Amino acid sequence: MSCARGPWDHESSLRQGSARTRRATGPSTPAEGGERTAARTASFRGTTGACALPRGEGREGPARPGGLTACVLRAGAAWVYDGGAGQPRRAAASVSPFRAEVGDLRSLRPTRGHFRSLTTCLKEKYFPSSILGCSASESRLSSPWRPSPLLSGSQVSQKKMESRKNMSTSVTSAKVAVNGIHLHYQQTGEGDHAVLLLPGMLGCGETDFGPQIKNLNKQLFTVVAWDPRGYGHSRPPDRDYPVDFFERDAKDAVDLMKTLKFKKVSLLGWSDGGITALIAAAKYPSYIHRMVIWGANAYVSEEDEMIYQGIRDVSKWSEKIRKPLETLYGYDYFAKTCEKWVDGMKQFKHLPDGNICRHLLPLVQCPTLIVHGAKDPMVPRFHADFIHKHVKGSRLHLMPEGKHNLHLRFANEFNKLAEDFLQ
């Protein structure tokens, strides 16, 4: 609702039957000497419509009692505050429901008289002080008057969006008791769709999933990144590798999400985390909604055994890969655990067909996306093909330039791929 510029003459406007008067009523009482208060109006925009406040300044002098001193959006209608009558009156025009958002008042420079009327409105709660950005006591004028730092409707909406974004992008970090140990996890987002990120060998949420924790859609998903027992901040205990350690991780992961009260989850599993995800999907089919895996293998071949042996000595790793893990664990624990991992993986080579979880693949029921980097030096292409062949209805997506850490190197591409599939 807005008022036109020029002298406010209610009676004349009524005689003319103007639409302007029908939209903003507010009789102007003759001031002393029979003169009418001349008021210029400044409209402001809000999400519920336009409103106006008359302002008197400069040569027109201060606004006098009885003039239209405030126009307030309230309870789905426009309310006019009459400084003379001292009571609000409902205007003729209704507007959309007021959602506690106001428009641009920064250009408005009311006189002391106007501001006192607004103060009365504040005290009467017709114009909430939280909207104006000050309390009724704070609104008492001191000379010289300075405009409050109010926001336009679009700016208010933007601030709300920023606030919502900040809330949704905040990351909580905690530990919870699961299966006799305390598992550490990070959580972010507010979506209904829960997604668990499962890290690779020696990894945790902190080291393995930075771009996913930060950038996966927080309105669609609630993202949880866990540290498997003995990894990251889920210590003690120290990590060990019995022959069933992947099954143990799968049970820990599912029980963690159940402890956090998620009714159903999707899985994003990298490398060892991909193996854990396959086992979880096979053993807990009713609990797993969808699954994305990359860098995973269902068995150990002779070629794999040679690759594992090549990474046993962490001092030969590139500094870029070694440094974060060394900082997290300290060199001794890092080096010792890597050697134990190599021995743990090599034990599968002595099982029939080098089996890790190949016998479980036909039991996977959830929609599954297998992503493979064509230049992955750790996991040959035949592993992705094998999983694709034996997981019914699965999809295989190749990234020509992708290596083992494709979700970090091509984070935006990977995140979009994962989001599209999970939806």
Side-chain angles (χ1 to χ4, degrees), residues 169-187:
T169 57
S170 62
V171 179
T172 60
S173 179
K175 283 188 175 183
V176 63
V178 177
N179 297 330
I181 60 172
H182 288 86
L183 292 176
H184 177 266
Y185 68 94
Q186 294 173 286
Q187 181 173 325

Side-chain angles (χ1 to χ4, degrees), residues 278 281-282 289-291 293 357-370 384-396 421:
L278 285 168
H289 181 47
R290 286 176 173 264
M291 176 169 59
I293 62 170
C357 64
R358 58 190 298 161
H359 63 295
L360 296 175
L361 299 185
L363 302 180
V364 175
Q365 299 178 17
C366 66
T368 301
L369 173 63
I370 304 153
D385 291 334
F386 183 88
I387 297 171
H388 177 45
K389 179 180 178 180
H390 289 87
V391 174
K392 185 177 180 180
S394 63
R395 290 169 45 190
L396 176 61
F421 179 78

Side-chain angles (χ1 to χ4, degrees), residues 109-338:
R109 291 183 174 274
T111 63
R112 188 179 298 268
H114 281 116
F115 202 89
R116 285 172 180 153
S117 296
L118 282 175
T119 302
T120 305
C121 287
L122 287 170
K123 291 180 178 179
E124 295 293 334
K125 298 183 181 179
Y126 295 119
F127 209 144
S129 59
S130 60
I131 300 172
L132 284 176
C134 61
S135 65
S137 61
E138 290 172 338
S139 67
R140 297 186 185 280
L141 202 59
S142 61
S143 184
W145 181 83
R146 294 183 179 181
S148 300
L150 301 178
L151 304 175
S152 66
S154 60
Q155 288 173 313
V156 170
S157 298
Q158 183 179 355
K159 287 290 184 181
K160 280 192 168 185
M161 291 177 64
E162 290 176 355
S163 176
R164 182 182 178 89
K165 183 178 180 181
N166 289 336
M167 291 178 62
S168 64
T169 57
S170 62
V171 179
T172 60
S173 179
K175 283 188 175 183
V176 63
V178 177
N179 297 330
I181 60 172
H182 288 86
L183 292 176
H184 177 266
Y185 68 94
Q186 294 173 286
Q187 181 173 325
T188 185
E190 54 185 17
D192 294 331
H193 191 155
V195 177
L196 176 63
L197 308 180
L198 299 98
M201 177 264 286
L202 279 163
C204 61
E206 176 184 329
T207 60
D208 288 10
F209 292 112
Q212 285 68 50
I213 294 172
K214 180 179 179 181
N215 295 321
L216 284 176
N217 191 310
K218 305 305 188 300
Q219 278 68 52
L220 294 177
F221 307 113
T222 295
V223 178
V224 177
W226 83 310
D227 300 356
R229 64 171 70 201
Y231 286 166
H233 302 286
S234 293
R235 294 180 292 147
D238 288 352
R239 182 70 173 183
D240 62 348
Y241 298 92
V243 71
D244 65 343
F245 73 89
F246 281 118
E247 283 80 0
R248 182 184 64 186
D249 285 349
K251 186 177 189 316
D252 283 348
V254 169
D255 289 347
L256 167 66
M257 298 303 280
K258 289 181 177 179
T259 300
L260 297 179
K261 306 302 182 183
F262 293 108
K263 296 181 179 179
K264 203 166 186 177
V265 302
S266 290
L267 306 176
L268 265 64
W270 176 37
S271 194
D272 278 15
I275 300 173
T276 301
L278 285 168
I279 295 172
K283 289 198 167 186
Y284 310 95
S286 63
Y287 192 66
I288 308 304
H289 181 47
R290 286 176 173 264
M291 176 169 59
V292 181
I293 62 170
W294 64 105
N297 52 303
Y299 62 92
V300 175
S301 67
E302 290 185 4
E303 183 177 346
D304 298 321
E305 191 175 17
M306 293 175 61
I307 293 172
Y308 301 153
Q309 189 62 35
I311 64 171
R312 174 184 287 271
D313 186 355
V314 298
S315 66
K316 297 179 180 179
W317 290 23
S318 70
E319 183 177 359
K320 182 178 180 181
I321 298 176
R322 184 185 72 246
K323 196 65 176 177
L325 294 173
E326 190 175 329
T327 300
L328 176 62
Y329 294 114
Y331 182 84
D332 291 342
Y333 184 85
F334 171 39
K336 179 181 67 175
T337 306
C338 182

